[in-house]
Every structure is written in structure tokens, then in C-alpha cells.
Amino acid sequence: MALVVICGQPCSGKSIAAVTLAEALKESETKQSVRIIDEASFHLDRNQNYANMPAEKNLRGKLRSDVDRSVSRGDIVIVDSLNSIKGYRYELWCIARAAGIRYCVVFCDVDEEHCRQWNKERGDRGEASYDDGIFEDLVRRFEKPERRNRWDSPLFELYPSRDGIEKASPVISEAVTYLTKTVDSKTQDVRILQPSIATQGARFSEANSLYELDRATQEVINAVVEQQSLGGAISRVTLGSELPPIEICRPVGLPELRRLRRTFVKLMGQASLSGPPLPTDADSAKRRFVDYLNREFGGSSA
């Protein structure tokens, strides 16, 4: 058994990569049984899936639940979706770890301009494509995988715009070898995740998630207050290179910020009861809160 997470910008060749890898696995010496879990299986329009935060959370929750059910069936499971948020890839990694199986990420590395062009070409052909606004929002929020992160490792990188995607390509072959190689006491280049007490007892800690959400949102509020206190009218609050700015068109007082924070935390808690869990890391929590503030303030990243 193994879990493969396909990752990439919208319209970067992920579905082709998933199908190509699945075919290569089925044709390998071990004749692997493969199951692809993708957004199309839920019969939802791709623009509806990413129209707003609740819809996107709902989609990720459905994907994660399907993965959780499937990893115990003995198949190699390939998750064909954006998988663009590192906190979500961490959640998938936790599922693999709890199941005690192999795990890897296949990243379709394509520059934004090629993705934008491919999206337009799909629309011109009458195929499923992203609306311009949704496409740009997804591109902006994409969190590139890094092999130093355990939930992004091992990382197999494809370059579809440069090399195409073929069953015989070196990266696909490397992934197949990693996923099918027989493991014994001397094997060092294949890692099978081992369940810990934490993942066996409870895969995601609600208390830790609430703590991260509380801490992250408070740091965002502190940044807004601090930058407004420097004097002069400001229209943008920056939070570093990894997060989008907060666009504000008027002074925002601390009481209003606290009210918005309380409302956001309440909404996130209510949504997690019936859908995806709360963010598992500070950056994801901050990004969601910034998106929420920009919508409330009428900012450009809404």
C-alpha cells in the first residue's frame, strides 16, 4: 500500500501525471492495483469547488475522507487534486503514517504563464477550465512543496511544459521503483511511515489546532494595529513574503478587529464540525484569516 499526493498549480498537468503514473504502476512487474481519487469523482464543477472558502473546505474534506477509507484496501492510492496547501498535505501525510504505508509527493512544476495559457486553451476548446478570477486566486495561494518537509518527502518533480509526461520518463520510473520496491532490513532508500501513539489514538488534535488558530489570528491583529500606529494613512498591511497583504481602505480600530477575529474563529470551528478540520499550522491559519479580512474589508484578494 502507498499514498501518492499529486501537487501543482491549476492546469499544470496533474491529471495526466496521475493517469501516467497509474498506468506505469499497473504495467510494472508487481502489477499494482491503483486507485485515483480526484475532484471529478464528486461530480462538482471545478469553479464551484473553489468559489469560496466553505466550498473549498468541503472539497478537501471529501477528498481526505475518501483517502482515509481507501488506504486500508491494499491499493496504491493517488490523490489527483491541487493539494496546494502545505497544511493539507500534512494531513494526508498523517493518514499515511497512521496506516503505516509508503508516501510520496509528485510535483508538476510549471510556471504560471504556461498554466494560464493551458487554462485558456482548455476553455477555448470547450473543456473544463477555471474562471480567470478563481485561477489567479489559486495561483496566488499555492504553497510549493519543499523536500525538507517530511510531508513533502520524498518529492518527485515533473516539468510538463519542458519535458512532457511519459511513462518512460525518468521521474515516473523513479516513482514506480520507490512505490513497488521490496523492502527488507537492508533497504535504506524506501521509507515506510510508522504509526505513532498520537496518530493511532487521534490523527488530528483539535486542541492544538485551536491553539494554532488562536495564536495565528492574534499575530495578524497585532500586525494590523502596529502598522497603523506608525502614523499616516495606510492602505496595505504586509505580513511577510509568504502571505498576501491585507488591503484596508480606512482606519480599522482594535474593537472591530477583535470582533472580526471572534467571528472568524467561530465560523472555522462550526465548519470543522461537519467538514475539514481546522488548520494544522500557523501559516495556513494566517492565510485563511487574511483572506477573510480582505473579503470583509473589500480588498483585492477577496
Side-chain angles (χ1 to χ4, degrees):
M1 296 189 295
L3 177 61
V4 181
V5 175
I6 306 291
C7 174
Q9 296 275 22
C11 296
S12 58
K14 298 182 298 300
S15 294
I16 295 176
V19 171
T20 303
L21 178 58
E23 291 177 351
L25 286 165
K26 292 175 183 177
E27 295 173 6
S28 65
E29 292 182 1
T30 56
K31 305 296 182 184
Q32 290 290 328
S33 177
V34 183
R35 178 162 186 249
I36 296 177
I37 297 176
D38 57 14
E39 299 172 13
S41 61
F42 300 113
H43 307 292
L44 296 174
D45 178 83
R46 65 176 57 193
N47 288 302
Q48 293 177 351
N49 290 339
Y50 297 100
N52 49 56
M53 184 188 298
E56 189 173 335
K57 282 169 63 67
N58 181 60
L59 171 65
R60 288 200 299 268
K62 288 182 177 180
L63 288 167
R64 186 180 59 249
S65 296
D66 206 356
V67 170
D68 205 359
R69 289 191 298 268
S70 300
V71 292
S72 60
R73 296 178 182 172
D75 300 338
I76 291 181
V77 177
I78 299 176
V79 188
D80 174 20
S81 184
L82 291 176
N83 299 315
S84 57
I85 299 174
K86 62 183 179 181
Y88 183 61
R89 294 196 297 272
Y90 171 73
E91 292 174 7
L92 296 175
W93 178 86
C94 285
I95 291 176
R97 185 181 180 187
I101 60 177
R102 304 182 202 199
Y103 171 94
C104 69
V105 173
V106 176
F107 174 38
C108 292
D109 192 352
V110 179
D111 64 90
E112 294 178 13
E113 199 52 48
H114 269 100
C115 293
R116 195 172 287 111
Q117 177 185 339
W118 288 349
N119 185 57
K120 182 179 183 303
E121 290 174 353
R122 289 181 184 179
D124 292 342
R125 293 194 299 266
E127 300 174 1
S129 62
Y130 295 94
D131 293 343
D132 290 344
I134 291 177
F135 177 87
E136 297 300 333
D137 178 61
L138 292 174
V139 167
R140 175 181 62 80
R141 294 192 288 117
F142 181 74
E143 296 176 341
K144 186 175 181 179
E146 300 180 14
R147 62 180 71 251
R148 65 181 179 180
N149 297 329
R150 52 187 175 171
W151 55 86
D152 289 333
S153 179
L155 180 63
F156 298 97
E157 297 178 87
L158 291 166
Y159 299 91
S161 62
R162 186 190 70 188
D163 305 328
I165 304 175
E166 303 289 342
K167 284 187 288 186
S169 68
V171 176
I172 294 293
S173 298
E174 290 173 13
V176 169
T177 299
Y178 179 82
L179 294 167
T180 60
K181 186 174 183 178
T182 301
V183 177
D184 56 31
S185 59
K186 298 180 180 179
T187 305
Q188 297 182 350
D189 57 346
V190 175
R191 182 183 180 192
I192 296 179
L193 300 179
Q194 297 299 319
S196 66
I197 295 176
T199 54
Q200 287 175 320
R203 288 175 182 171
F204 309 107
S205 169
E206 187 75 2
N208 286 343
S209 295
L210 284 170
Y211 170 77
E212 286 291 347
L213 184 66
D214 185 79
R215 184 171 65 91
T217 52
Q218 186 59 57
E219 288 178 4
V220 171
I221 294 299
N222 292 343
V224 175
V225 172
E226 180 180 354
Q227 292 185 40
Q228 286 189 118
S229 69
L230 297 177
I234 63 171
S235 60
R236 171 174 292 186
V237 174
T238 57
L239 300 166
S241 59
E242 299 298 321
L243 293 170
I246 301 173
E247 308 288 351
I248 56 177
C249 56
R250 57 178 173 79
V252 184
L254 184 57
E256 181 179 2
L257 290 170
R258 285 174 174 168
R259 177 182 60 79
L260 290 169
R261 177 172 174 264
R262 286 195 301 270
T263 301
F264 173 77
V265 171
K266 183 178 180 180
L267 289 172
M268 293 291 286
Q270 290 174 343
S272 69
L273 293 176
S274 58
L278 297 168
T280 55
D281 64 281
D283 283 346
S284 293
K286 288 179 182 179
R287 184 177 297 277
R288 294 190 189 184
F289 188 41
V290 168
D291 288 342
Y292 171 79
L293 290 178
N294 277 325
R295 283 194 295 273
E296 291 297 311
F297 298 151
S300 60
S301 67

